[in-house]
Amino acid sequence: MTQTSRIAVLSPQVADQIAAGEVVERPASVVKELVENALDAGAQHVEVALEDGGRTLVRVTDDGEGMTREDARLALERHATSKIRRVEDLIGVATFGFRGEALPAIASVSRLELETAATEGQGVRLRVVGGRVEKAEEAARRRGTTVTVRGLFFNTPARRKFLRAARTETRAAAEVVTLFAMGCPDIRFTLTSDDRRLIETRAGETPEDRIASLWGPKLAGTLVPVEHRVGPLEVRGFVQRPADAQPAGRKAHLFINGRPFRDPFVLRAAEAGYRSAIHPGDRPTVILFLDLPGDGVDVNVHPAKLEVRFRDKFFVEKAVEQAVREALGELVAAATVVSGSGEWGGVPPDALAAALRRSEPLPSPHSPDAPDLFPASPEAVAAAAPHVPDLLQVFDTYILFESGPSVVIVDQHSAHERVLYETIMRQLEGDGASAQRLLLPFTMDCAPDELDAIEAHRELLTRVGYEVAPFGGRSVVVHSVPNPHPRFDAQRCLQELAADLAKGRFGGFANRLERFAATYACRAAIKGGQQLDPEEMRELLLRLLTAELPAHDVHGRPTIVQLPKDELERRFGRR
Ligand SMILES: Nc1ncnc2c1ncn2[C@@H]1O[C@H](COP(=O)(O)OP(=O)(O)OP(=O)(O)O)[C@@H](O)[C@H]1O
Ligand SMILES: [Mg+2]
């Protein structure tokens, strides 16, 4: 009895179609692969056209190096690539492609036309239907390549059914083009959809210009530059000023060595860089370019090359967090009062620092004559010879002074909240704060949920200086209190703190310590409506200047705004 073998080697067409399942999901993935090839070929202009969301047609034209006839045929075969020869070549591979799969995979599920010329005028046109080359002819064309993909998934109806509405597919494809355009600001990209121009960028743009041409000057105006290097890793790009972040609609784009990639952990690390400077729930726009040469990253871990694997993930995440933190720490991140003018500027940190410099040294905060309103940070004291220009308090809430070409306005509560928050975090993570033992302990009545909140946070309260014990019924007795500044009202602060903790305000903070510190800082800080003397104002500004994230309070609101002289002159008709 003869038995037919149950196992058979798949035909190349079937194998290609299976591979296509991983690589080609929708028109946007076709766009991605073809744009990658164009960029790998050294194109200066990449033109993408769609019809009917890419169902009917996806066409990518480039002015890159093109292919010879033989190469054009080879390119359509599986595992044919000009980009690597050996497995070792994958280490630090600089091209977008390397698998030799994209063209055959796309060709196996469409009617594809490949027109290419490596030499001006000497081109070839190949027609491929479902992976089979049906026709090859000469084509006189410019150097470069045009790939036209028609009838995507015409021979795999089940997959064609998964295509979404034309608008949705167009949007996904536009996102792909945007991403590459962001990654390669010097290259010109165009995208048309049913003859409508959706994206048009110029060649040779700076990253800032490119952001503006892709997303408009408004978004560009809310970003601050990131520039950070640790060992072999460089992190560059842009992050949004905390006050401009919104709960929805942000952009989040990551690139490694020029290649877009997805990584929720790296993104989270970037957000962690905003810690305590952003309103909980707001999601900032983040565009980061990581450069890590050598074997620090493996790009061959995902069929569509959308993910990468870092050898030292933790190192990369830490560096990204630090990079963002550093960028936001610059006072340049502070909001300006000019709105809608499209242009932005912050307080130049040097200008402010210079304005605050004077020849005598700052009195030590522990010396008896030193104003003690703001807890000393060692850096603040070390900051040499500060000088304060004339300060003016208005509405008992804002501190005004002149700095460089601007009037700078500081919100005293927000600024103090920021300063205290950082001090409290140091206390909570370190040895705690000094407390003042009360000769006469006081008792305080609480609502039941406030009692629970105090009980739940007793250990943290102790560390900042509140020694609290139950006193029967709805009361607590307070034996010691912190003394963060002379205007501090310990009882009122504890009462408000208990209420906030019970209500779960500041719920957006992921970390319990940070949540507690933010709540306490908010309640302990001097309030608006409190008159300050000049020394106190000066101290506050100096402390703020040495804070890690001086430009924002713990709610993400600005601590500082500036009114540029230009703007005054404009309003008074001097310009
Ligand atoms: N637009 C183009 N211009 C010049 N050469 C091209 C172009 N598109 C493809 N090629 C050539 O065809 C080969 C096969 O392309 P294909 O996209 O299938 O594989 P790959 O880019 O090498 O790897 P991957 O599957 O990871 O994309 C490339 O290696 C390249 O030599
Ligand atoms: Mg490719």
Side-chain angles (χ1 to χ4, degrees):
M1 198 170 87
T2 55
Q3 209 175 357
T4 51
S5 173
R6 287 187 301 125
I7 298 179
V9 175
L10 298 176
S11 76
Q13 268 90 13
V14 176
D16 283 340
Q17 283 190 8
I18 292 171
E22 292 184 312
V23 180
V24 191
E25 204 187 326
R26 58 195 302 189
S29 18
V30 174
V31 170
K32 172 182 176 292
E33 294 297 337
L34 298 181
V35 170
E36 284 188 355
N37 284 347
L39 293 171
D40 283 344
Q44 289 304 304
H45 181 192
V46 181
E47 233 181 304
V48 182
L50 303 173
E51 277 171 25
D52 191 22
R55 285 158 175 273
T56 331
L57 175 138
V58 176
R59 171 178 289 144
V60 176
T61 301
D62 69 62
D63 58 357
E65 66 189 5
M67 286 175 266
T68 62
R69 276 153 209 240
E70 303 78 72
D71 278 351
R73 269 200 183 266
L74 272 175
L76 291 164
E77 280 177 31
R78 196 138 186 242
H79 308 306
T81 179
S82 58
K83 298 168 191 174
I84 60 166
R85 287 285 178 272
R86 302 164 306 164
V87 176
E88 300 89 274
D89 295 343
L90 274 179
I91 297 171
V93 62
T95 49
F96 288 110
F98 49 78
R99 298 166 56 104
E101 278 190 340
L103 277 183
I106 296 167
S108 72
V109 291
S110 68
R111 294 186 203 94
L112 181 143
E113 193 180 286
L114 168 64
E115 200 189 275
T116 184
T119 313
E120 194 82 34
Q122 296 177 25
V124 61
R125 184 181 305 120
L126 298 175
R127 292 228 167 91
V128 195
V129 177
R132 245 182 271 273
V133 179
E134 308 250 295
K135 197 170 175 191
E137 58 197 351
E138 288 187 10
R141 60 158 290 141
R142 293 182 13 240
R143 200 184 79 131
T145 303
T146 301
V147 178
T148 310
V149 176
R150 293 193 174 86
L152 185 62
F153 301 136
F154 80 97
N155 54 352
T156 50
R159 316 245 351 246
R160 194 167 167 87
K161 265 202 277 192
F162 274 100
L163 291 180
R164 314 269 297 275
R167 266 187 36 223
T168 315
E169 296 297 348
T170 304
R171 196 176 322 125
E175 249 162 55
V176 168
V177 177
T178 304
L179 197 58
F180 282 104
M182 196 53 245
C184 311
D186 46 328
I187 290 168
R188 180 172 165 214
F189 286 86
T190 47
L191 168 66
T192 46
S193 162
D194 298 325
D195 295 325
R196 239 168 24 102
R197 188 53 49 114
L198 298 184
I199 293 176
E200 168 87 81
T201 66
R202 284 176 296 119
E205 290 184 308
T206 63
E208 288 88 338
D209 292 343
R210 185 54 59 97
I211 291 176
S213 50
L214 289 170
W215 293 312
K218 193 146 172 271
L219 177 79
T222 69
L223 304 179
V224 284
V226 176
E227 230 178 310
H228 183 72
R229 172 177 269 287
V230 228
L233 176 65
E234 196 183 324
V235 184
R236 284 175 302 116
F238 301 90
V239 291
Q240 197 161 32
R241 282 190 304 215
D244 292 311
Q246 306 280 322
R250 65 96 164 264
K251 323 262 177 230
H253 298 308
L254 301 172
F255 300 82
I256 174 75
N257 302 335
R259 180 192 300 279
F261 73 107
R262 294 190 302 218
D263 191 324
F265 295 98
V266 172
L267 204 55
R268 213 167 296 157
E271 286 172 357
Y274 278 84
R275 192 169 60 173
S276 84
I278 197 159
H279 190 274
D282 280 351
R283 298 263 89 77
T285 283
V286 170
I287 302 162
L288 292 177
F289 301 90
L290 280 55
D291 266 295
L292 185 59
D295 60 354
V297 55
D298 184 355
V299 294
N300 185 32
V301 297
H302 187 276
K305 296 171 261 147
L306 297 174
E307 290 164 18
V308 300
R309 188 183 295 132
F310 292 106
R311 214 163 42 135
D312 191 348
K313 192 167 140 52
F314 187 67
F315 164 73
V316 173
E317 287 167 19
K318 271 280 149 237
V320 165
E321 176 176 344
Q322 189 52 37
V324 172
R325 174 152 292 228
E326 209 175 85
L328 298 174
E330 295 287 321
L331 276 180
V332 105
T336 138
V337 264
V338 189
S339 56
S341 74
E343 98 195 40
W344 63 280
V347 182
D350 297 343
L352 185 54
L356 291 172
R357 222 157 285 275
R358 81 168 169 204
S359 42
E360 314 109 65
L362 176 68
S364 148
H366 301 298
S367 74
D369 55 330
D372 219 5
L373 180 48
F374 308 105
S377 81
E379 305 88 311
V381 181
H387 163 73
V388 175
D390 289 335
L391 300 174
L392 176 68
Q393 191 187 28
V394 296
F395 307 123
D396 289 343
T397 299
Y398 305 104
I399 303 168
L400 266 63
F401 62 96
E402 182 186 322
S403 167
S406 298
V407 175
V408 176
I409 308 165
V410 175
D411 179 313
Q412 65 189 41
H413 170 71
S414 293
H416 196 199
E417 182 182 282
R418 163 55 52 193
V419 168
L420 278 181
Y421 173 80
E422 294 188 5
T423 312
I424 293 161
M425 279 308 287
R426 279 195 294 272
Q427 291 168 350
L428 289 174
E429 284 167 344
D431 303 335
S434 62
Q436 188 184 333
R437 242 198 124 73
L438 299 174
L439 285 177
L440 299 171
F442 65 86
T443 59
M444 196 173 89
D445 289 337
C446 300
D449 56 344
E450 293 170 0
L451 272 182
D452 292 345
I454 289 179
E455 197 48 43
H457 292 86
R458 201 132 81 160
E459 142 82 9
L460 295 179
L461 285 166
T462 310
R463 264 196 272 170
V464 299
Y466 275 115
E467 203 183 299
V468 185
F471 196 60
R474 285 154 144 254
S475 310
V476 290
V477 57
V478 183
H479 292 288
S480 77
V481 297
N483 186 20
H485 60 86
R487 292 179 186 268
F488 183 66
D489 181 340
Q491 178 158 3
R492 176 173 165 195
C493 177
L494 182 61
Q495 194 94 57
E496 291 175 349
L497 187 56
D500 286 347
L501 293 171
K503 275 197 238 94
R505 268 185 87 216
F506 293 82
F509 281 84
N511 174 317
R512 186 162 174 268
L513 228 54
E514 289 171 6
R515 183 164 56 234
F516 178 82
T519 317
Y520 176 39
C522 180
R523 290 311 183 181
I526 46 159
K527 315 245 180 272
Q530 226 160 22
Q531 211 172 20
L532 301 179
D533 63 40
E535 268 309 280
E536 289 174 330
M537 290 193 260
R538 189 173 85 89
E539 273 294 303
L540 174 56
L541 293 181
L542 289 171
R543 300 290 175 230
L544 183 65
L545 198 63
T546 52
E548 215 184 328
L549 292 173
H552 300 277
D553 70 9
V554 299
H555 311 273
R557 292 187 299 239
T559 54
I560 297 177
V561 297
Q562 65 158 350
L563 175 60
K565 189 173 168 214
D566 285 2
E567 176 64 13
L568 282 175
E569 292 184 333
R570 207 176 57 72
R571 297 211 180 182
F572 286 112
R574 285 174 180 268
R575 296 197 163 203

